[in-house]
Amino acid sequence: MRVVVLFGLLLIAAIGMAVEELKTEEGGRWWYAPSRKAPLYEHKYQGIRNQLVRAAARQGEDMRLPTDVLPTSYTIRLLPFIEVGNFTTDGYIEILVECKKATSSISMNAAALTIDTESITVVDNENNTPFEVVSLIDQQTEREIITINLKTSLVDGKTYKISMKFVSILNDELRGFYRSTYEENGVTKYLAISQMEAPDARRAFPCFDEPNMKAVFTIIVGYKNDTMSAISNMPVNKTEPIENMPGYMWNHFDPSVKMSSYLVAMMVSEFVSETSNSSFSPGIVYKIWARPSFRNQTAYSADIGPKILTDYAKNYFLIDFPLPKMDMAAIPDFAAGAMENWGLVTYREADLLYDPKRSSASAKQRVAAIIAHELAHQWFGDYVTMDWWNVLWLNEGFASYMEYPGTEYVEPGFEMNEQFTVTDLHYVFGIDALESSRPIDFQVNTPDEINQMFDAISYEKGSCIIRMCANFLGEPVFRRGVTRYLNAHAYGNTVQQDLWKALQEQAGIDKIVLPDTVEKIMETWTRQMGFPVINVTRSYNANNGATASQQRFLLRKNPNSTDTNVYKWWVPLTYTNNFSAPAESSWLPGSAESIQISRLPGSSSDWIIFNVGQEGYYRVIYDERNLNMIREQLMKSHTVISKKNRAQILDDYLNMARANLTSYVSAMELTRYLTNEHDYAPWTAASVALDYIDVMFYGLLDEKDWKDYMTGLVIPLYNHVKYTESASDVHLTVFTRSQAVYWACGKLNISDCVQNADRDYHAWMANDANELSPNLRRLISCTAIADGSRPEWKFGFDKYVNSTLPNEKTELLRAITCTVNVTILNEMLVMMITNNSDIRLQDASTLFSNIAANPVGHQVAMDFLTNRWNETSAYFGGFQGFGGGTMARLFRSLCNRVNTQAKLNQLKKLRSDHPAELGSSKSVSQGMEVAEANVLWVQQHYDTIVNWLKSQQSAATTQPTVATTPSTVATTPSTASSVYLDNFSTLIMVVLAGFWSLTRFCSFP
């Protein structure tokens, strides 16, 4: 039983320790094409993807507001009653609007508000002349719109003031102005907090809730002054008692800068704040807010936040931060990972708080990366905002790109540049290689269309093409172009052509020669989905030239596809045969299938590598002779090739073999050099790709041959990094050790690793003082829980419930899903849909996706969703923080392990039984495409790999082996095939959705 458990279950816990919490974060927050940052920035998904998809919203209906009247300023007064039995907010609003076209009706957004119709007034702002209100058309349920009808028309060019009273619900749905809870010293505490992204400002107050309808907001918030405080986007300018309400106060805040409604924020709480050193952010008051008992976890954020804001970001953009203060708050119940509200950024607790003694290296990096992402938004998103959600990538792609150099600035030892390719680029390649992908930019109007925008294409692909653009322009030129763009559109809204124009102007000033305009080059990447694979065929003559051709890369080509688009891109080709010298470059035009490169560097007897540093968004395949030279170099002295390009070659070839563009023999031959590889990026690329094959082989007759081969690769790495940590470990060594322990403990049953993990966990059970290493806590716990029974699970569960360290809590949640006890797995799923259980609403999706990733839990999760669909749908349907997209998300998490026709048929039936929730979902379609591809993979590639493995065994008996450090650990031969077939015949271990989906299982809450 232990062998079966460990082979499959550490899949849940491990690679995420290597690519570690990077993400992302849907995060859990887990759905198929989610950004890897989904849990980090889940408000983007849950805000638009889920919250806007209302049950009553009719497909095809235009949800946009008319533009006859536009807001210029708001005065909003909110008094939340944070009391059991009366969770409501009394509100009053005044909106100054400018009439752009004569009209007798004013439409704005509102949702779940009780409007005091008698209080509605419309007056001429110049002379205070009232307009008679004829009626209020309330379409909050149908369209989230209210319309005030007037007896006479407003006049074009004039300004009017609209006012009304209303009551909103201080809901527990993690959206709008809502309530959150936590415990301090056994007492339940409440706070009121906002989450307006994307269409939920309308749940807090009536407003023009579209990103291009910017205005100035003056906020007034009431609160009990004995224990609570109130903060908002801007500083407090006046505090006064509330008349006839003893003990209550009003906080009046300065008017905001001009901004979109989704950036409005306010919080009423008993939180305490930690003020940063004023020398870090001169002229800006910088505070970190948290519950009192977590105050000791705020120091790290208080240290790096202002350095990123005022040192790095300000110097990058060359534009001052326009606000006088910055607050960052850690929220107990938060659907997002973080939200970039201007001047008041809110975070999930695990994404802002850090304990230097108990938090892992990955948790530290996660906190730094999320802060860098959100602070980049203060310029790219807040200062200049996308015009509409179809160009969301202008906000999210740039922030995703900036989080790497921003984190590198405050933590140079993290080597973020090396991590980019194996986290963002390789991950999104897996999604964009599906026929069901989408362009970065396409027109959306309806909620269902908007739903498709909040995914890895906007985030990761957006960041990748920005990185590519910066590379071919040159980073200094790109920076100056970005500053030009921001200055030209300050406090405004933009479309992507505005960015291209600014970059083109800067390229001209700096005399950068391009083969076409920036717009024409880049729109081949934003207007069509997918990406190319570049086929390089060398001539091997005196000229040493080559032909480079392009075609769309698809993991699986549908013979019945109706897509008639001819896919071609402007491709910036770079190539080298010497990584100590500058790379050479050429352009493959967007109108051409191929080009001739007249001369390559070096001679025809030298290898050549394209896509230097993997800065370009494309894969590369070589002729066999060049590939053999690269392979020989890797075997002889692999460090001659850069780390990023070693990672690129492994990732490209293992995935091109999946796509039938090369043979698995060629791909597997490249992996042989890994016995000498110790660096993070190449091993991460190899690990996630080889894990796909590993789970494909799980339970099949030739699994032992595969395990034997992988053992030969992993033992040298395990011996190099060792199980036990060292004080001298650099950051990426910690991550690489996690990969080694993942394979050694969970996949290959190396006894030294398993025994160490069991020993350490049971020592912790015996004495709390024997805490686990934060960096291996999840892997060790998962190993012991999978290897144990209810006592091991119960200990882990109690630790999860009682943990006061947010990131530790997340790790333990994932670890407890490693159990193979079916009864316990079902118990956890029941808790997932039970009010007031120990599973918080924000963690429910994480729980389900991790159980679905468990080889035993997968069937349990499938049966649970099938048999208790209505209960599950009803539970999540009441919480728009997850909302209408949740069932599609849960369904998607079941797809990755399907690799038999029987399982595929079961999945198809589940989808057909629930067409309303699943029938039109993009993520469901992508999940089905992955499941079908998995079944086909077994048919096409299993025998090829088996034959290659046997050839390696044969060669090993007749040829000397490559010298490696002698193993100091014992291995136990895998008997998983027989045990599995005897005991779990109905639980075939299924395939992940490719290398990218593995990180989703393991890395995010």
PDB file of all heavy atoms in Angstrom, residues 551-566:
ATOM      1  N   GLN A 551       5.574  26.818 -38.266  1.00  0.00           N
ATOM      2  CA  GLN A 551       4.227  26.263 -38.312  1.00  0.00           C
ATOM      3  C   GLN A 551       3.652  26.349 -36.905  1.00  0.00           C
ATOM      4  O   GLN A 551       4.385  26.457 -35.916  1.00  0.00           O
ATOM      5  CB  GLN A 551       4.235  24.799 -38.771  1.00  0.00           C
ATOM      6  CG  GLN A 551       4.893  23.828 -37.773  1.00  0.00           C
ATOM      7  CD  GLN A 551       4.901  22.398 -38.263  1.00  0.00           C
ATOM      8  OE1 GLN A 551       5.780  22.008 -39.026  1.00  0.00           O
ATOM      9  NE2 GLN A 551       3.932  21.613 -37.818  1.00  0.00           N
ATOM     10  N   ARG A 552       2.341  26.344 -36.803  1.00  0.00           N
ATOM     11  CA  ARG A 552       1.714  26.409 -35.488  1.00  0.00           C
ATOM     12  C   ARG A 552       1.998  25.126 -34.718  1.00  0.00           C
ATOM     13  O   ARG A 552       1.891  24.025 -35.261  1.00  0.00           O
ATOM     14  CB  ARG A 552       0.204  26.618 -35.614  1.00  0.00           C
ATOM     15  CG  ARG A 552      -0.474  26.786 -34.250  1.00  0.00           C
ATOM     16  CD  ARG A 552      -1.976  26.879 -34.345  1.00  0.00           C
ATOM     17  NE  ARG A 552      -2.576  26.971 -33.010  1.00  0.00           N
ATOM     18  CZ  ARG A 552      -3.868  26.866 -32.752  1.00  0.00           C
ATOM     19  NH1 ARG A 552      -4.724  26.682 -33.757  1.00  0.00           N
ATOM     20  NH2 ARG A 552      -4.318  26.949 -31.514  1.00  0.00           N
ATOM     21  N   PHE A 553       2.348  25.275 -33.440  1.00  0.00           N
ATOM     22  CA  PHE A 553       2.581  24.118 -32.591  1.00  0.00           C
ATOM     23  C   PHE A 553       1.275  23.718 -31.910  1.00  0.00           C
ATOM     24  O   PHE A 553       0.654  24.526 -31.218  1.00  0.00           O
ATOM     25  CB  PHE A 553       3.625  24.423 -31.517  1.00  0.00           C
ATOM     26  CG  PHE A 553       3.884  23.265 -30.592  1.00  0.00           C
ATOM     27  CD1 PHE A 553       4.756  22.257 -30.956  1.00  0.00           C
ATOM     28  CD2 PHE A 553       3.241  23.175 -29.363  1.00  0.00           C
ATOM     29  CE1 PHE A 553       4.989  21.175 -30.117  1.00  0.00           C
ATOM     30  CE2 PHE A 553       3.464  22.106 -28.518  1.00  0.00           C
ATOM     31  CZ  PHE A 553       4.342  21.102 -28.900  1.00  0.00           C
ATOM     32  N   LEU A 554       0.861  22.489 -32.120  1.00  0.00           N
ATOM     33  CA  LEU A 554      -0.332  21.943 -31.479  1.00  0.00           C
ATOM     34  C   LEU A 554       0.019  20.613 -30.821  1.00  0.00           C
ATOM     35  O   LEU A 554       0.658  19.764 -31.442  1.00  0.00           O
ATOM     36  CB  LEU A 554      -1.450  21.714 -32.498  1.00  0.00           C
ATOM     37  CG  LEU A 554      -2.177  22.947 -33.027  1.00  0.00           C
ATOM     38  CD1 LEU A 554      -3.094  22.560 -34.185  1.00  0.00           C
ATOM     39  CD2 LEU A 554      -2.983  23.616 -31.907  1.00  0.00           C
ATOM     40  N   LEU A 555      -0.407  20.435 -29.595  1.00  0.00           N
ATOM     41  CA  LEU A 555      -0.180  19.160 -28.933  1.00  0.00           C
ATOM     42  C   LEU A 555      -0.971  18.046 -29.605  1.00  0.00           C
ATOM     43  O   LEU A 555      -0.530  16.900 -29.664  1.00  0.00           O
ATOM     44  CB  LEU A 555      -0.580  19.250 -27.450  1.00  0.00           C
ATOM     45  CG  LEU A 555       0.462  19.848 -26.509  1.00  0.00           C
ATOM     46  CD1 LEU A 555      -0.107  19.982 -25.112  1.00  0.00           C
ATOM     47  CD2 LEU A 555       1.731  19.012 -26.480  1.00  0.00           C
ATOM     48  N   ARG A 556      -2.133  18.405 -30.112  1.00  0.00           N
ATOM     49  CA  ARG A 556      -2.976  17.412 -30.768  1.00  0.00           C
ATOM     50  C   ARG A 556      -3.762  18.106 -31.870  1.00  0.00           C
ATOM     51  O   ARG A 556      -4.463  19.075 -31.621  1.00  0.00           O
ATOM     52  CB  ARG A 556      -3.934  16.769 -29.761  1.00  0.00           C
ATOM     53  CG  ARG A 556      -4.972  15.841 -30.370  1.00  0.00           C
ATOM     54  CD  ARG A 556      -5.820  15.194 -29.270  1.00  0.00           C
ATOM     55  NE  ARG A 556      -6.899  14.396 -29.811  1.00  0.00           N
ATOM     56  CZ  ARG A 556      -8.161  14.830 -29.952  1.00  0.00           C
ATOM     57  NH1 ARG A 556      -8.483  16.053 -29.571  1.00  0.00           N
ATOM     58  NH2 ARG A 556      -9.098  14.050 -30.450  1.00  0.00           N
ATOM     59  N   LYS A 557      -3.621  17.622 -33.088  1.00  0.00           N
ATOM     60  CA  LYS A 557      -4.344  18.208 -34.206  1.00  0.00           C
ATOM     61  C   LYS A 557      -5.656  17.475 -34.402  1.00  0.00           C
ATOM     62  O   LYS A 557      -5.683  16.248 -34.549  1.00  0.00           O
ATOM     63  CB  LYS A 557      -3.508  18.141 -35.471  1.00  0.00           C
ATOM     64  CG  LYS A 557      -2.261  19.018 -35.441  1.00  0.00           C
ATOM     65  CD  LYS A 557      -1.501  18.964 -36.754  1.00  0.00           C
ATOM     66  CE  LYS A 557      -0.275  19.864 -36.707  1.00  0.00           C
ATOM     67  NZ  LYS A 557       0.502  19.814 -37.968  1.00  0.00           N
ATOM     68  N   ASN A 558      -6.717  18.221 -34.400  1.00  0.00           N
ATOM     69  CA  ASN A 558      -8.040  17.646 -34.607  1.00  0.00           C
ATOM     70  C   ASN A 558      -8.282  17.484 -36.101  1.00  0.00           C
ATOM     71  O   ASN A 558      -8.327  18.484 -36.842  1.00  0.00           O
ATOM     72  CB  ASN A 558      -9.099  18.560 -33.991  1.00  0.00           C
ATOM     73  CG  ASN A 558     -10.501  18.021 -34.155  1.00  0.00           C
ATOM     74  OD1 ASN A 558     -10.715  16.946 -34.729  1.00  0.00           O
ATOM     75  ND2 ASN A 558     -11.470  18.767 -33.640  1.00  0.00           N
ATOM     76  N   PRO A 559      -8.435  16.273 -36.586  1.00  0.00           N
ATOM     77  CA  PRO A 559      -8.641  16.083 -38.040  1.00  0.00           C
ATOM     78  C   PRO A 559      -9.931  16.710 -38.529  1.00  0.00           C
ATOM     79  O   PRO A 559     -10.092  16.948 -39.728  1.00  0.00           O
ATOM     80  CB  PRO A 559      -8.656  14.557 -38.183  1.00  0.00           C
ATOM     81  CG  PRO A 559      -9.017  14.032 -36.833  1.00  0.00           C
ATOM     82  CD  PRO A 559      -8.435  14.996 -35.851  1.00  0.00           C
ATOM     83  N   ASN A 560     -10.850  17.002 -37.603  1.00  0.00           N
ATOM     84  CA  ASN A 560     -12.129  17.592 -37.985  1.00  0.00           C
ATOM     85  C   ASN A 560     -12.195  19.094 -37.702  1.00  0.00           C
ATOM     86  O   ASN A 560     -13.277  19.677 -37.664  1.00  0.00           O
ATOM     87  CB  ASN A 560     -13.271  16.875 -37.249  1.00  0.00           C
ATOM     88  CG  ASN A 560     -13.316  15.390 -37.564  1.00  0.00           C
ATOM     89  OD1 ASN A 560     -13.192  14.995 -38.719  1.00  0.00           O
ATOM     90  ND2 ASN A 560     -13.485  14.570 -36.537  1.00  0.00           N
ATOM     91  N   SER A 561     -11.038  19.691 -37.490  1.00  0.00           N
ATOM     92  CA  SER A 561     -11.008  21.111 -37.152  1.00  0.00           C
ATOM     93  C   SER A 561     -11.599  21.953 -38.277  1.00  0.00           C
ATOM     94  O   SER A 561     -11.380  21.697 -39.465  1.00  0.00           O
ATOM     95  CB  SER A 561      -9.572  21.552 -36.882  1.00  0.00           C
ATOM     96  OG  SER A 561      -9.523  22.955 -36.690  1.00  0.00           O
ATOM     97  N   THR A 562     -12.340  22.984 -37.897  1.00  0.00           N
ATOM     98  CA  THR A 562     -12.923  23.918 -38.861  1.00  0.00           C
ATOM     99  C   THR A 562     -12.153  25.238 -38.908  1.00  0.00           C
ATOM    100  O   THR A 562     -12.587  26.197 -39.550  1.00  0.00           O
ATOM    101  CB  THR A 562     -14.396  24.195 -38.518  1.00  0.00           C
ATOM    102  OG1 THR A 562     -14.469  24.738 -37.182  1.00  0.00           O
ATOM    103  CG2 THR A 562     -15.219  22.913 -38.591  1.00  0.00           C
ATOM    104  N   ASP A 563     -11.028  25.297 -38.197  1.00  0.00           N
ATOM    105  CA  ASP A 563     -10.209  26.507 -38.160  1.00  0.00           C
ATOM    106  C   ASP A 563      -9.470  26.661 -39.486  1.00  0.00           C
ATOM    107  O   ASP A 563      -8.631  25.838 -39.845  1.00  0.00           O
ATOM    108  CB  ASP A 563      -9.218  26.411 -36.997  1.00  0.00           C
ATOM    109  CG  ASP A 563      -8.426  27.704 -36.791  1.00  0.00           C
ATOM    110  OD1 ASP A 563      -8.595  28.638 -37.606  1.00  0.00           O
ATOM    111  OD2 ASP A 563      -7.660  27.766 -35.820  1.00  0.00           O
ATOM    112  N   THR A 564      -9.781  27.722 -40.215  1.00  0.00           N
ATOM    113  CA  THR A 564      -9.166  27.942 -41.533  1.00  0.00           C
ATOM    114  C   THR A 564      -8.089  29.026 -41.495  1.00  0.00           C
ATOM    115  O   THR A 564      -7.531  29.372 -42.526  1.00  0.00           O
ATOM    116  CB  THR A 564     -10.238  28.337 -42.563  1.00  0.00           C
ATOM    117  OG1 THR A 564     -10.898  29.541 -42.109  1.00  0.00           O
ATOM    118  CG2 THR A 564     -11.265  27.224 -42.733  1.00  0.00           C
ATOM    119  N   ASN A 565      -7.812  29.560 -40.339  1.00  0.00           N
ATOM    120  CA  ASN A 565      -6.804  30.614 -40.242  1.00  0.00           C
ATOM    121  C   ASN A 565      -5.424  30.073 -40.625  1.00  0.00           C
ATOM    122  O   ASN A 565      -5.055  28.957 -40.263  1.00  0.00           O
ATOM    123  CB  ASN A 565      -6.746  31.162 -38.809  1.00  0.00           C
ATOM    124  CG  ASN A 565      -5.805  32.349 -38.689  1.00  0.00           C
ATOM    125  OD1 ASN A 565      -5.974  33.365 -39.358  1.00  0.00           O
ATOM    126  ND2 ASN A 565      -4.805  32.216 -37.825  1.00  0.00           N
ATOM    127  N   VAL A 566      -4.672  30.859 -41.376  1.00  0.00           N
ATOM    128  CA  VAL A 566      -3.291  30.511 -41.725  1.00  0.00           C
ATOM    129  C   VAL A 566      -2.385  31.191 -40.694  1.00  0.00           C
ATOM    130  O   VAL A 566      -2.251  32.410 -40.682  1.00  0.00           O
ATOM    131  CB  VAL A 566      -2.931  30.973 -43.140  1.00  0.00           C
ATOM    132  CG1 VAL A 566      -1.473  30.641 -43.446  1.00  0.00           C
ATOM    133  CG2 VAL A 566      -3.864  30.330 -44.158  1.00  0.00           C
TER     134      VAL A 566
END
